[in-house]
Amino acid sequence: MHDVFQVIEQAIRSTQPSVMATIIHVEGSAYLKEGTSMLFYEDGKKVGMISPGCLEEDLSYRVKEVFNDGKSQTVVYDSTAEDDVIWGQEIGCGGVIYILLEMVDVSLKENLRRVRAQLKSGIRVLHVIKFASNFTVEFSGYRTEKGEVIGDNRIETIDTSKWPTKSGLINLIYYHTYIPGKRLIIFGAGPDVKPLVELAAQTGFSVIVCDWRESLCNRDHFLQADDFIVGFPNDVFQKLTFTHEDFVVLMTHNLKRDKEIVSFLLKKKPRYFGILGSKHRINLLFGQSSKPPWASAPVGLPIGAEGATEIAISILAEMILVMRGEKGEVGAINESGGHLPRSRKE
C-alpha cells in the first residue's frame, strides 16, 4: 500500500504552496505504479515517494516551473534506453513513466476534501483526467461509486458505467480508483498507542481511538487519528457500528474493560482482532471460552519486539499480512508471545 492517503491529507492541510506529482502511465516496469502520488512544497520539503529516489531530484526542478506559472505539465522519463546514463539501465527500472505535475490550488483542495469524505464513508471514488494529444490537461474530475460528480462536470461526457480494473491511460484518459482505507479501531489511549496510530495512518488505515479518559483520547495526543470516541466500552458499542472488515486492537491495560470488549467482539468477528498482553493475561480475558483462531493474542508477529515502537511495527506487519490475505488464522503464528518485553507481561 503506498501512502496516497497521507499525500491527500497533507495536500488538504498544507498552508504553503505545493505541487502534486502523480504517476499516470507506465510502460514496462517501474518501482511504483499508476496512481502513486507525492507532494513537493515550495520550501523544498516532500511528502511521499514516486520512485526509489532516482526521479525526485529532477522533479524538484520541474515543479519550479509549475510554481512559477501555475500550469500543470506532464513529464516523461524513459529508462529503456541503455545508452542513457541518467534514465537508462542505471536506475534499474526499464520502463517509461509519465508523471503529471499539478498545482494544489483552492479548487483541487476542495475536491480532495470531498474525495476524502467519501473514502472515510467507505465509498470508492474514480478519478478521471482527460488529456490533449500533447498531454496537457483538458479537464479533471471524480465520480463516486454512487454516481456523485466531484470537480469538473465534463467527466459526465466520459462513460464510467464500467470502472476500469487497472489504473492508467486509455486513449488519453487517465483512470484511477481510490479504494477506502481499512478502518483500525484501537481501544486504549496510553503512550504505547501513539506509534501504532502514526504507523497505521501512514499506511492508509483510517484510525479511530476509543478510551474513557477524555484527557488522553484527543487530537493533542494523536495528531494522525481520524476520529475519537470517548466513553466506556458500552458507550463505544452504541456509538460505533462494527463490520467484518474492521481491524481492532485492544490496548487498554484494564482487565475489567478488556473483558467487556472481548465479550462483545467475539460476537462481531472483525477482520482482525489483536489483544496486547501476556499469555497469562489472555487466559484471564477469555476465561472458560476458547480463544478463536482468528484472534491474535498476544497481538503482533513474533519478532522479539521490545518497546512501544517495535510492538507497533509487529502489530502493523501482522495487519498487513491479514489485509493481503496471506494469513487466515492469525492466532496460529504468534502463540509464543515472544514479542512482548518483560515489562509488559502482566
Side-chain angles (χ1 to χ4, degrees):
M1 178 188 297
H2 56 74
D3 49 5
V4 63
F5 294 98
Q6 183 187 15
V7 170
I8 290 176
E9 191 65 34
Q10 293 301 316
I12 294 170
R13 293 185 180 185
S14 176
T15 57
Q16 68 166 299
S18 61
V19 169
M20 180 176 288
T22 303
I23 298 178
I24 59 171
H25 189 61
V26 173
E27 297 173 7
S29 62
Y31 182 68
L32 293 170
K33 298 299 184 181
E34 295 92 338
T36 305
S37 297
M38 70 176 294
L39 279 182
F40 291 83
Y41 290 108
E42 196 170 37
D43 64 2
K45 293 180 181 178
K46 305 177 185 67
V47 175
M49 60 187 296
I50 214 161
S51 79
C54 45
L55 303 181
E56 280 79 356
E57 184 174 354
D58 186 74
L59 282 171
S60 295
Y61 290 101
R62 305 295 187 114
V63 298
K64 292 179 181 178
E65 299 175 15
V66 181
F67 280 123
N68 289 334
D69 60 24
K71 297 180 180 179
S72 63
Q73 61 173 271
T74 302
V75 183
V76 181
Y77 294 101
D78 187 349
S79 62
T80 60
E82 294 187 15
D83 59 346
D84 189 332
V85 296
I86 299 178
W87 310 119
Q89 296 300 316
E90 294 296 320
I91 70 173
C93 292
V96 182
I97 305 171
Y98 293 70
I99 299 176
L100 172 65
L101 304 177
E102 53 186 334
M103 196 76 189
V104 182
D105 55 19
V106 174
S107 177
L108 180 55
K109 280 190 177 185
E110 178 57 29
N111 289 342
L112 292 176
R113 284 191 188 94
R114 295 175 63 186
V115 168
R116 179 184 62 180
Q118 294 292 324
L119 294 174
K120 285 187 175 182
S121 298
I123 300 171
R124 295 183 304 157
V125 179
L126 179 67
H127 189 190
V128 180
I129 305 176
K130 177 68 170 66
F131 288 93
S133 57
N134 63 352
F135 283 98
T136 58
V137 176
E138 291 187 358
F139 58 84
S140 174
Y142 308 81
R143 182 190 291 276
T144 74
E145 62 181 316
K146 293 187 175 182
E148 179 185 347
V149 172
I150 299 173
D152 199 314
N153 287 325
R154 282 179 289 178
I155 69 165
E156 295 273 25
T157 62
I158 298 173
D159 182 14
T160 56
S161 56
K162 293 183 178 179
W163 285 23
T165 57
K166 184 180 182 298
S167 299
L169 282 172
I170 302 176
N171 298 325
L172 292 176
I173 301 175
Y174 167 76
Y175 300 93
H176 175 67
T177 301
Y178 289 105
I179 305 296
K182 296 295 183 182
R183 192 169 66 164
L184 170 60
I185 302 164
I186 302 176
F187 285 91
D192 57 341
V193 175
K194 290 184 179 181
L196 180 58
V197 170
E198 293 171 2
L199 290 170
Q202 289 171 14
T203 48
F205 282 91
S206 177
V207 184
I208 301 173
V209 179
C210 309
D211 199 289
W212 55 89
R213 297 164 292 185
E214 188 173 1
S215 61
L216 295 179
C217 190
N218 57 61
R219 193 160 302 283
D220 289 339
H221 286 81
F222 303 99
L223 290 174
Q224 292 182 296
D226 289 282
D227 202 1
F228 303 90
I229 299 180
V230 178
F232 291 106
N234 286 332
D235 299 320
V236 175
F237 303 151
Q238 294 177 16
K239 297 176 182 177
L240 194 60
T241 300
F242 290 80
T243 74
H244 295 303
E245 292 300 313
D246 287 331
F247 287 64
V248 183
V249 176
L250 184 52
M251 304 176 67
T252 73
H253 305 289
N254 184 296
L255 189 61
K256 178 183 177 181
R257 302 303 177 193
D258 285 356
K259 285 183 177 180
E260 297 175 20
I261 297 167
V262 168
S263 177
F264 177 83
L265 288 177
L266 286 179
K267 302 171 185 176
K268 297 296 180 180
K269 195 177 180 180
R271 176 81 175 273
Y272 175 89
F273 182 29
I275 304 172
L276 182 67
S278 65
K279 275 189 173 182
H280 173 68
R281 189 175 192 278
I282 300 302
N283 290 334
L284 291 176
L285 284 175
F286 284 94
Q288 299 300 317
S289 302
S290 299
K291 178 174 70 68
W294 49 267
S296 177
V299 68
L301 296 182
I303 61 174
E306 295 185 0
T309 299
E310 290 185 5
I311 290 175
I313 291 171
S314 75
I315 295 172
L316 183 62
E318 187 174 57
M319 291 195 302
I320 292 174
L321 197 59
V322 171
M323 183 171 59
R324 296 286 184 263
E326 298 296 329
K327 190 175 178 186
E329 296 187 351
V330 299
I333 199 171
N334 56 11
E335 283 300 321
S336 65
H339 63 292
L340 289 174
R342 293 178 181 174
S343 61
R344 291 295 181 96
K345 293 188 180 293
E346 301 176 40

